[in-house]
Amino acid sequence: MNLEERDLKYIWHPCSQMHDYENFPPIVIERGEGVYLYDIRGRRYLDIISSWWCNLLGHTNPVISGKIKNQLDKIEHVIFANFTHEPAIELCERLLKYIPEGLTKFHFSDNGSASVECALKMSFQYQQQIGQKEKTKFLCFSDGYHGETLGALSVGTLDLYAKLYQPILIDSNQVRAPDCYRCPFKKKRTSCSCECFVFAQEIFKKHGKKTCAMIVEPLLQGSAGMRMYPPLYLEKLRRLCDEYEVLLIADEIATGFGRTGKMFAFDHTDVSPDIMCLSKGLTGGFMPMSLTVTTDKIYRAFYGEYERHIAFMHSHTYAGNPLGCAAACGVLDVLENENILEFAGERSSYLTKKLEDVLLSHKNVGEIRHLGLIHAIELVADKETKKALNSSKRVGYQIYKKALHLGLILRPLGDVLYFNPPLIITEDEIDEAVSKCFAAIEMVLGK
Ligand SMILES: *Cc1c(COP(=O)(O)O)cnc(C)c1O
């Protein structure tokens, strides 16, 4: 049996209809370097989606792997209750310089969904302990994504992931999210006053009093199809949350660490959330780790004599894993010493121009939008009416398969193709990705 067959004998892959693998077996990757992955047959793939958005600075980055190797010979893991270690302390001290003002306390978990669970439980317990007993509900956006465990799904509203599980999810209320490409007020995201904020005002009026927290993906609803909305919306939301004493949770798992052109999406605003979830880019995609960062005010509500039973009884075995912390410190080393954000900013303008030159005139390209290096190409049936493609045709998936054949990993979100490359991508690599993307689109949709 070859490796593909041995894989399929035992492995159930994530987010996949395994039947699709019959004609399209898994690709066995042997090694990676920079933006490229290499399979066992010597084929090369440009990883334009950063291996599910986590590979921040290229595969096998020597600074990050060096940090992990060095840590590995000291201590691989230690219980994090009552014990600590320098990599965790160093990480918090260094992150403090970058995270939005007011966030000073770090709770560790080992994946993005877990950091969301932590944020939800923390905000609920906080409200209980300051006497706001009626605040038991959560608010979230429509078409939001926060992970796939049951708590995270309860505030995630994409039918694809959540619908089936509705009967067993926590009841939460939704604010209709901004949808700038198909704006219900016919405005433009670059010049609007967030007219759609009225949807938030209506829902807060109805449910704000009994809500403990609202969770959002700031500026970018990733899984919804890389939908982007203006910073002003977050500033308005901050004020509305304050008015109703609702905590604001920023899920920066996808947007953190320079993805949006600034260190964090909230850096595009002049406000801070109460709780922030970080993962993905945190370790550059090297180790599973996440953080739930919060304010001293929230931390204080859990602080007191043991007998009061107000502690936050929440833990994961691998919380604060030293290898993860070492990797995250390595990420900060690279970001700081190699001027990455500035470099990525220049590549971002280059990529925008390139995509617009090559793709914007195509009959099925409805919009090319971008935030930092993240660029999304929304494919539609009709550019004028913005009518969507027939989803049963799985056009995005067809293009994905063609692009893979050409050596580009362009895993789409429905019929939205996107580029979310490692921040170290070069102009030549961008040229290669854009021309392969264009070729794949033409193979499926014609000229
Ligand atoms: C990926 C992601 C998550 C979930 O993280 P996992 O590590 O996959 O559990 C949550 N929120 C957002 C915005 C994400 O992009």
Side-chain angles (χ1 to χ4, degrees), residues 52-53 110-116 145-149 152 215-218 220-223 251-255 277 279-280 289-290:
W52 263 345
W53 321 350
D110 47 24
N111 65 77
S113 306
S115 75
V116 169
Y145 180 87
H146 301 287
E148 286 158 52
T149 51
I215 184 166
V216 296
E217 291 166 86
L220 174 85
Q221 287 195 290
S223 299
D251 177 351
E252 292 240 19
I253 293 168
T255 50
C277 300
S279 190
K280 294 203 165 103
M289 192 169 83
S290 61

Side-chain angles (χ1 to χ4, degrees), residues 6-57:
R6 282 162 59 197
D7 171 283
L8 289 175
K9 195 153 181 230
Y10 297 109
I11 297 178
W12 192 347
H13 288 270
C15 237
S16 297
Q17 171 46 266
M18 292 308 299
H19 181 265
D20 285 345
Y21 286 56
E22 278 186 22
N23 297 318
F24 193 39
I27 294 157
V28 187
I29 295 299
E30 193 169 62
R31 65 190 179 87
E33 192 183 343
V35 298
Y36 291 106
L37 293 166
Y38 299 84
D39 74 11
I40 48 165
R41 309 195 192 284
R43 288 185 42 110
R44 187 178 85 162
Y45 304 86
L46 204 169
D47 186 4
I48 204 70
I49 59 159
S50 295
S51 283
W52 263 345
W53 321 350
C54 66
N55 188 276
L56 190 72
L57 299 164

Side-chain angles (χ1 to χ4, degrees), residues 295-343:
T295 60
D296 210 46
K297 183 176 168 197
I298 291 177
Y299 174 80
R300 287 264 141 209
F302 294 77
Y303 198 89
E305 300 298 325
Y306 180 82
E307 296 71 24
R308 291 176 58 204
H309 298 295
I310 56 170
F312 190 39
M313 298 307 286
H314 181 90
S315 61
H316 292 284
T317 308
Y318 284 102
N321 178 259
L323 300 173
C325 294
C329 288
V331 166
L332 294 179
D333 287 348
V334 179
L335 288 176
E336 286 166 4
N337 300 336
E338 299 177 29
N339 233 346
I340 297 292
L341 289 200
E342 201 179 308
F343 181 84

